[in-house]
Amino acid sequence: AQSVSQHNHHVILSEAASLELGCNYSYGGTVNLFWYVQYPGQHLQLLLKYFSGDPLVKGIKGFEAEFIKSKFSFNLRKPSVQWSDTAEYFCAVIRYGGSQGNLIFGKGTKLSVKP
Amino acid sequence: EAQVTQNPRYLITVTGKKLTVTCSQNMNHEYMSWYRQDPGLGLRQIYYSMNVEVTDKGDVPEGYKVSRKEKRNFPLILESPSPNQTSLYFCASSRRASGGRETQYFGPGTRLLVL
């Protein structure tokens, strides 16, 4: 079965540190990839998405993600985090050609940024 | 404003007392979904609907029912709630697009406590 793994459950960083959150998926075919963010007490918001083309995708708030097909990975990065980036981050995958009913989420990574 | 709304936002109930959580979207989206979010488990899909009168089970459908009589509404029904259904529930919607190339928009969440 298709699955999504996020390696870090909780990441703690100081402001201005660089961030990389890992995401790996298990499906071998073409996939569409998403990163969502959930700020404390709020609903999920889309950070960025990858469908095709340039594997380096830029999203909102200075985030970017790189799709590496050979590694089945879609890691999220930010060069310099801020306290306001404290949130939970979810990677999600949908098989190309699949319906929205097949969107699979990872278990999430909680990011805490110390001021 | 384009949005997904859920009601109620917070609910405390007792075991066995039927409840309904409403979800409505104003974007004319075909797809709608329900997820539950539990610590360490991420988001798991309960049910989804590809269009009016078309619903299907997600990963954790037991104990839940849904209906899709109108395009904009997708209520989640717990006929006989149990404490293990205590969770944070999210409704989501998206346009129908080929190849799964569409973004899901999430509601604000409903926090349910079953005593």
Side-chain angles (χ1 to χ4, degrees):
Chain A
Q2 190 174 350
S3 67
V4 178
S5 299
Q6 291 183 242
H7 315 298
N8 309 101
H9 177 63
H10 192 185
V11 173
I12 302 172
L13 296 173
S14 298
E15 274 195 315
S18 65
L19 170 72
E20 181 159 2
L21 301 182
C23 173
N24 286 89
Y25 60 93
S26 63
Y27 182 68
T30 303
V31 291
N32 300 317
L33 300 151
F34 305 82
W35 274 99
Y36 282 87
V37 60
Q38 185 179 31
Y39 297 103
Q42 296 189 26
H43 62 284
L44 276 80
Q45 302 171 43
L46 182 69
L47 262 184
L48 47 79
K49 59 188 177 185
Y50 173 79
F51 292 158
S52 64
D54 188 344
L56 187 61
V57 181
K58 295 201 184 298
I60 61 172
K61 305 188 182 189
F63 286 90
E64 64 180 31
E66 185 175 14
F67 171 54
I68 302 180
K69 189 174 181 180
S70 61
K71 294 185 178 180
F72 300 92
S73 70
F74 189 55
N75 292 354
L76 181 71
R77 300 197 292 245
K78 186 171 184 178
S80 176
V81 295
Q82 301 171 311
W83 177 78
S84 58
D85 293 324
T86 294
E88 191 157 15
Y89 294 81
F90 294 92
C91 181
V93 172
I94 186 167
R95 177 177 55 87
Y96 181 77
S99 74
Q100 290 300 318
N102 301 127
L103 185 63
I104 307 295
F105 281 88
K107 293 183 179 181
T109 297
K110 194 166 293 190
L111 172 65
S112 299
V113 180
K114 298 184 292 185
Chain B
E1 181 191 352
Q3 60 182 351
V4 179
T5 56
Q6 294 179 227
N7 281 293
R9 294 289 311 281
Y10 303 91
L11 180 59
I12 301 174
T13 190
V14 295
T15 298
K17 186 176 181 182
K18 181 179 178 180
L19 65 92
T20 299
V21 184
T22 64
C23 173
S24 184
Q25 49 91 6
N26 63 1
M27 296 169 278
N28 202 35
H29 285 169
E30 287 83 6
Y31 285 99
M32 297 187 76
S33 301
W34 275 104
Y35 296 88
R36 61 178 288 174
Q37 183 182 12
D38 302 290
L41 297 178
L43 279 84
R44 294 178 293 167
Q45 191 174 53
I46 303 170
Y47 269 94
Y48 65 96
S49 169
M50 290 199 254
N51 214 325
V52 176
E53 302 291 1
V54 181
T55 63
D56 208 347
K57 295 178 181 178
D59 296 323
V60 288
E62 293 78 20
Y64 303 95
K65 283 175 57 176
V66 293
S67 69
R68 188 89 184 274
K69 293 185 170 56
E70 304 166 284
K71 198 173 187 179
R72 64 182 293 125
N73 296 323
F74 190 44
L76 179 70
I77 304 155
L78 284 72
E79 295 270 4
S80 183
S82 63
N84 64 13
Q85 292 178 296
T86 292
S87 187
L88 177 58
Y89 291 86
F90 287 101
C91 180
S93 74
S94 65
R95 280 193 308 127
R96 181 175 184 164
S98 62
R101 293 190 167 198
E102 197 49 64
T103 303
Q104 290 203 22
Y105 294 87
F106 285 81
T110 295
R111 192 168 289 280
L112 172 65
L113 172 62
V114 183
L115 300 173

